Amino acid sequence: MSIKKSILVRVRLVFLFVCLFACAIVYKIVHIQFLDGDKWKNISNERRIFYKPVHATRGNILSDNESILATSLPFYRVAFDPAVAKPEVFNAGVDSLAMLLSRFYGDKSADYYRRKMKNARHSGKRYVRLNSRQIGYQDKKLMSRWPIFREGKNKGGVIFEKVEKRFKPFGILAERTIGFINEDKNGAGLEYSFNGNLSGVDGEALFERIAGGSKPIYDGTEVKPQHGYDIKTTLNVNLQDVAESALYKALERTDAEYGTVILMEVKTGEIKAIANLGKTKGGYIEDYNYAVGNQGRTEPGSTFKLASMMALFEHRPDISLTDTVDAGDGRYRIKNTIMTDAKINGYGKITVQQVFEKSSNIGIAKLMEQYFGHEQQAYVDYLNKFGLNSTLGFQMDGEAVPYMKSPQDKDWYGTTLTSMSIGYELKLSPLHTLAFYNAVANNGVLIQPIIVKEIRKVDEVVQSFQTRVLNEKICSDATLKKLKLMLEGVVENGTARSIRNADYKIAGKTGTARKVKNGRYVREYSTSFAGYFPADNPKYSCIVIIDSPKGVNVYGSDVAAPVFKELADKAYALDLAMHKPMHERVVPDKESLPVVEAGSLDDLKLIYNNLGVSTRAGVTEEDWVKVEPQRRSLEFKPNPVLQNKVPDVVGMTLRDALYILGNQHLKVDVQGMGKRVKKQSLAPGTDINEEKTITIILG
């Protein structure tokens, strides 16, 4: 075969192969188009048309008076379907629309927006986002009146994509308590703990994939979302603000690491304020819920002495507050450790009441050794009975579990009993400690603290939460009476004297616990104050924790107690029900006037004015006066004290009489019992020429 024929054969074969391949392509096209057409059309529709979730509006979080603490506000992103508008509508309005978009957003020129819309229309795009910035509802209404957009979604192609954002009207107030939840459903606080109620149920709608994105198709098959429920909390906005402000000032003043405050109603267990502030480079922020969570679970220190004394009085009801304990010289050896008291030379022999008021570690330790030294399990059993080893079942997630040792544990040492009795070798959260103090204020009834009162759907209450009693009686009434007297004594005479006041009485206990670092106790402290007020009829209980304060005065009485006092003052001022009634000022008859015969003019004026008794001063020059009752008032008559003359002390208090007679260089012999001088042995006005003794009789 010649070369020419060989080439022709090859060309013909190639041509034949090409023809056969072309026929195969035609056949395949015909087969797909006509025979399998319906199949591929369905697949195309399935991929182009799809269902997409429509998120429900999240419920509101409300305060106790239904002020909004957190809500969802609608925002929008503006998108555009440039193919929808008719050519005459698009061409007539695109320049004006571009200019308005440029002015509104202020980021690009009008020419940029015009080219963006025209290019999208020319290329057949069905979706283009004009700007990623979110706009509010009023801006949406404004844009709806612009050229092209005013034709609406179906004729103008405007697409307002709804985006909901969480908004807190009070800013950072109770920020960590309100909390958050992210796209992965992780979070903290009420937002996370009650997410199932707040989130609602998402709906779904049909969307179409188009060039550049997707757009909704409203064909009647969409499922409307069920919006979330509102939750009404127990938080009081005013008290929360004071708690955060007082805590912030204390942390800033002492350069502390973190602090927490909880204010709770005694009878209901409703938390009215809960503040948590942690130190950052820029100051203090609500970075963690120290009041409830594990990071706030610490050794409570001296505030735990209340539990130890409760166990002691329950174990030995015969122990009296006037019984004495020898606290020694301030140093006490227990096994191989030395326990110390705050007072350098020690307190010596003091009463049980003073052991608590002065927060004597040695006094508590000696009592524990004496009465529980051979019954250590009994001490732990009492603590368990008081509910200190169990969780409270708090409504918010992340509640810390108490840590408490038992004599059966391997790390129960010879010093563990005495260490636990003063608040070491155990851990409690601030909320747990407060619940215990609240039980004392609540006559022994231990209740579960609550922070959410109701779950609502608009105005309909879906679920309400009531106070749940955890223990009807944690101790006897006799024990409670002793504990209350001790707690009041701490403020009246003990370590918290700085916060006592005349308007209402506070009962509580200071705490200063050394912290552990690298397995050793260091000279850094967790300071605290826990208590309740008014002491005679408790309305609120409160705890303040300030961790690692710096400076000279770093004890609970110096750091935590003033925060308690500031919050208590505000709560007292706001709650008129706690105020003592002001009695009407009356003009008494002569028969009802108090009979006080003599005394200091200034003192008597002050007393009678406070009693609402009208007074008249016959002579105001004298310091000492006699009192003469008139028909509707008291008149002060001069009772001069003359040099070298026996004064008239009949009717005076013993204190005043001793003061005057002593200044006259008289020896005084006191006889009888009573509040005032009824008789005196030397007549008033008698000369004092030599050293004399005067006998005064009280009655």
Side-chain angles (χ1 to χ4, degrees):
M1 183 181 295
S2 65
I3 294 174
K4 182 178 179 181
K5 287 183 178 182
S6 177
I7 291 172
L8 287 172
V9 170
R10 291 178 182 178
V11 170
R12 287 170 182 164
L13 289 172
V14 171
F15 179 74
L16 181 61
F17 176 76
V18 171
C19 290
L20 290 173
F21 185 73
C23 291
I25 291 173
V26 172
Y27 171 78
K28 194 64 177 177
I29 291 173
V30 172
H31 191 276
I32 291 172
Q33 183 70 29
F34 296 102
L35 299 180
D36 294 337
D38 292 339
K39 170 187 171 183
W40 293 111
K41 283 178 183 178
N42 291 333
I43 292 174
S44 174
N45 286 334
E46 288 176 4
R47 293 183 177 178
R48 186 170 57 87
I49 307 297
F50 65 100
Y51 280 98
K52 184 178 178 180
V54 178
H55 297 295
T57 298
R58 195 168 180 81
N60 300 321
I61 298 177
L62 310 171
S63 70
D64 62 347
N65 68 350
E66 300 187 19
S67 298
I68 295 176
L69 299 175
T71 188
S72 292
L73 296 181
F75 287 85
Y76 303 88
R77 291 192 184 97
V78 183
F80 187 47
D81 182 351
V84 168
K86 294 180 180 179
E88 58 271 21
V89 173
F90 183 84
N91 293 330
V94 67
D95 291 339
S96 299
L97 179 59
M99 181 187 66
L100 290 169
L101 288 169
S102 177
R103 288 179 180 175
F104 180 83
Y105 288 113
D107 57 344
K108 305 288 183 182
S109 65
D111 184 58
Y112 166 84
Y113 283 106
R114 181 172 53 253
R115 283 187 284 105
K116 186 171 186 176
M117 290 184 286
K118 284 188 172 182
N119 291 341
R121 182 178 175 92
H122 180 72
S123 61
K125 283 188 176 181
R126 301 298 305 275
Y127 176 92
V128 57
R129 182 174 291 172
L130 296 175
N131 197 295
S132 59
R133 198 178 96 192
Q134 297 174 7
I135 63 171
Y137 178 73
Q138 295 301 323
D139 291 330
K140 172 180 176 288
K141 286 178 65 177
L142 174 67
M143 286 187 172
S144 297
R145 297 193 292 268
W146 288 358
I148 305 179
F149 286 3
R150 69 170 66 103
E151 303 296 326
K153 176 182 62 180
N154 297 325
K155 293 183 179 180
V158 63
I159 302 170
F160 292 109
E161 297 176 331
K162 188 176 179 181
V163 180
E164 288 194 340
K165 291 178 67 175
R166 210 63 173 153
F167 177 69
K168 299 175 183 177
F170 291 97
I172 62 173
L173 192 74
E175 186 173 27
R176 193 67 186 192
T177 304
I178 295 170
F180 67 94
I181 190 162
N182 59 26
E183 294 179 356
D184 298 325
K185 305 301 180 185
N186 296 320
L190 295 170
E191 293 276 21
Y192 177 72
S193 301
F194 286 83
N195 183 51
N197 302 107
L198 291 165
S199 62
V201 180
D202 291 344
E204 61 178 12
L206 204 59
F207 280 75
E208 178 184 7
R209 285 190 177 88
I210 55 179
S214 62
K215 69 173 186 177
I217 300 173
Y218 298 99
D219 62 348
T221 62
E222 60 271 7
V223 178
K224 291 185 177 180
Q226 299 176 25
H227 299 314
Y229 295 148
D230 298 338
I231 62 172
K232 181 181 177 181
T233 71
T234 61
L235 296 175
N236 180 282
V237 173
N238 292 323
L239 295 176
Q240 179 70 32
D241 184 45
V242 175
E244 290 188 16
S245 175
L247 181 62
Y248 191 95
K249 287 185 292 185
L251 292 172
E252 213 172 31
R253 184 178 68 252
T254 60
D255 193 27
E257 290 303 310
Y258 74 81
T260 184
V261 175
I262 315 171
L263 179 72
M264 183 165 71
E265 279 191 351
V266 170
K267 300 296 182 185
T268 65
E270 294 183 7
I271 292 176
K272 292 300 173 184
I274 179 168
N276 298 279
L277 294 172
K279 188 177 184 181
T280 64
K281 291 182 179 179
Y284 292 91
I285 63 170
E286 289 225 345
D287 60 342
Y288 184 80
N289 195 340
Y290 300 99
V292 179
N294 283 317
Q295 289 187 37
R297 186 187 71 165
T298 60
E299 292 176 309
S302 293
T303 54
F304 195 77
K305 290 174 182 175
L306 181 68
S308 296
M309 296 306 291
M310 183 183 286
L312 179 65
F313 294 142
E314 287 292 278
H315 192 59
R316 291 294 301 269
D318 57 314
I319 296 176
S320 168
L321 295 181
T322 57
D323 291 348
T324 58
V325 181
D326 187 2
D329 61 359
R331 292 175 63 83
Y332 179 57
R333 178 175 289 277
I334 304 173
K335 302 298 181 183
N336 58 343
T337 64
I338 300 294
M339 180 176 284
T340 60
D341 271 336
K343 189 176 180 181
I344 295 175
N345 296 320
Y347 296 109
K349 186 172 285 189
I350 54 177
T351 65
V352 171
Q353 170 94 11
Q354 290 172 325
V355 165
F356 193 79
E357 289 178 352
K358 298 177 184 297
S359 198
S360 170
N361 294 331
I362 295 173
I364 296 287
K366 284 190 171 183
L367 288 169
M368 292 300 109
E369 282 187 327
Q370 181 178 353
Y371 294 104
F372 288 109
H374 300 292
E375 299 179 79
Q376 298 187 13
Q377 183 60 51
Y379 173 73
V380 175
D381 290 341
Y382 280 117
L383 300 182
N384 293 338
K385 176 194 171 186
F386 304 154
L388 291 166
N389 201 25
S390 306
T391 56
L392 298 168
F394 191 51
Q395 292 170 307
M396 289 171 60
D397 287 357
E399 180 189 351
V401 178
Y403 167 71
M404 204 162 294
K405 291 182 179 181
S406 175
Q408 291 76 37
D409 295 338
K410 292 182 179 179
D411 57 351
W412 182 278
Y413 309 113
T415 57
T416 297
L417 173 66
T418 51
S419 291
M420 284 182 65
S421 70
I422 61 172
Y424 290 93
E425 295 192 47
L426 63 114
K427 290 184 179 181
L428 292 175
S429 71
L431 183 65
H432 219 108
T433 301
L434 178 61
F436 177 68
Y437 272 74
N438 192 81
V440 174
N442 198 23
N443 296 319
V445 182
L446 178 65
I447 58 177
Q448 180 188 58
I450 63 171
I451 195 168
V452 173
K453 186 78 173 173
E454 293 174 349
I455 297 176
R456 292 180 171 185
K457 182 179 182 181
V458 191
D459 292 329
E460 177 190 353
V461 177
V462 176
Q463 185 178 1
S464 61
F465 300 94
Q466 302 297 329
T467 301
R468 187 163 75 89
V469 176
L470 302 178
N471 190 334
E472 288 283 356
K473 201 74 170 175
I474 63 173
C475 67
S476 68
D477 288 335
T479 295
L480 282 172
K481 185 177 180 180
K482 295 175 184 176
L483 296 176
K484 289 180 178 180
L485 287 172
M486 291 195 307
L487 288 168
E488 291 177 32
V490 170
V491 179
E492 293 300 314
N493 310 304
T495 55
R497 291 189 304 274
S498 61
I499 66 169
R500 63 183 175 183
N501 64 82
D503 295 324
Y504 62 95
K505 293 182 73 173
I506 295 172
K509 182 71 183 75
T510 56
T512 308
R514 293 180 68 174
K515 294 177 66 71
V516 176
K517 288 191 175 181
N518 301 319
R520 291 179 174 272
Y521 284 103
V522 297
R523 293 201 174 276
E524 289 185 19
Y525 302 93
S526 174
T527 67
S528 57
F529 186 88
Y532 53 86
F533 62 94
D536 51 355
N537 185 23
K539 176 66 182 292
Y540 295 105
S541 60
C542 180
I543 187 168
V544 179
I545 307 286
I546 296 182
D547 185 82
S548 303
K550 299 172 182 63
V552 178
N553 298 319
V554 291
Y555 297 102
S557 57
D558 305 311
V559 182
V563 177
F564 182 103
K565 175 66 162 49
E566 185 172 345
L567 181 55
D569 284 347
K570 181 66 174 181
Y572 183 82
L574 290 174
D575 195 336
L576 297 180
M578 287 195 291
H579 293 195
K580 295 177 181 178
M582 295 183 66
H583 299 293
E584 183 182 0
R585 192 179 182 93
V586 296
V587 179
D589 292 326
K590 182 176 180 179
E591 291 76 14
S592 65
L593 290 171
V595 180
V596 180
E597 298 177 13
S600 165
L601 177 63
D602 291 337
D603 289 347
L604 292 175
K605 275 185 176 180
L606 178 63
I607 292 170
Y608 289 138
N609 287 339
N610 285 336
L611 290 174
V613 177
S614 177
T615 60
R616 291 187 296 121
V619 178
T620 57
E621 299 292 330
E622 299 291 341
D623 292 332
W624 302 95
V625 295
K626 287 281 188 179
V627 180
E628 184 177 318
Q630 303 298 321
R631 185 172 180 275
R632 290 183 178 272
S633 66
L634 295 173
E635 184 173 353
F636 298 137
K637 298 289 187 179
N639 184 20
V641 178
L642 304 176
Q643 190 70 24
N644 299 322
K645 298 287 184 180
V646 175
D648 183 0
V649 296
V650 174
M652 292 187 182
T653 63
L654 178 60
R655 185 194 67 175
D656 288 345
L658 291 175
Y659 176 78
I660 291 176
L661 296 172
N663 284 340
Q664 296 295 92
H665 305 292
L666 291 167
K667 290 184 178 181
V668 183
D669 177 28
V670 181
Q671 297 180 5
M673 299 289 290
K675 296 182 179 180
R676 296 189 175 273
V677 177
K678 289 299 181 184
K679 294 181 180 179
Q680 62 185 67
S681 61
L682 298 178
T686 304
D687 290 336
I688 307 173
N689 299 322
E690 57 186 21
E691 187 174 304
K692 291 184 177 182
T693 299
I694 183 171
T695 301
I696 59 175
I697 300 173
L698 304 179

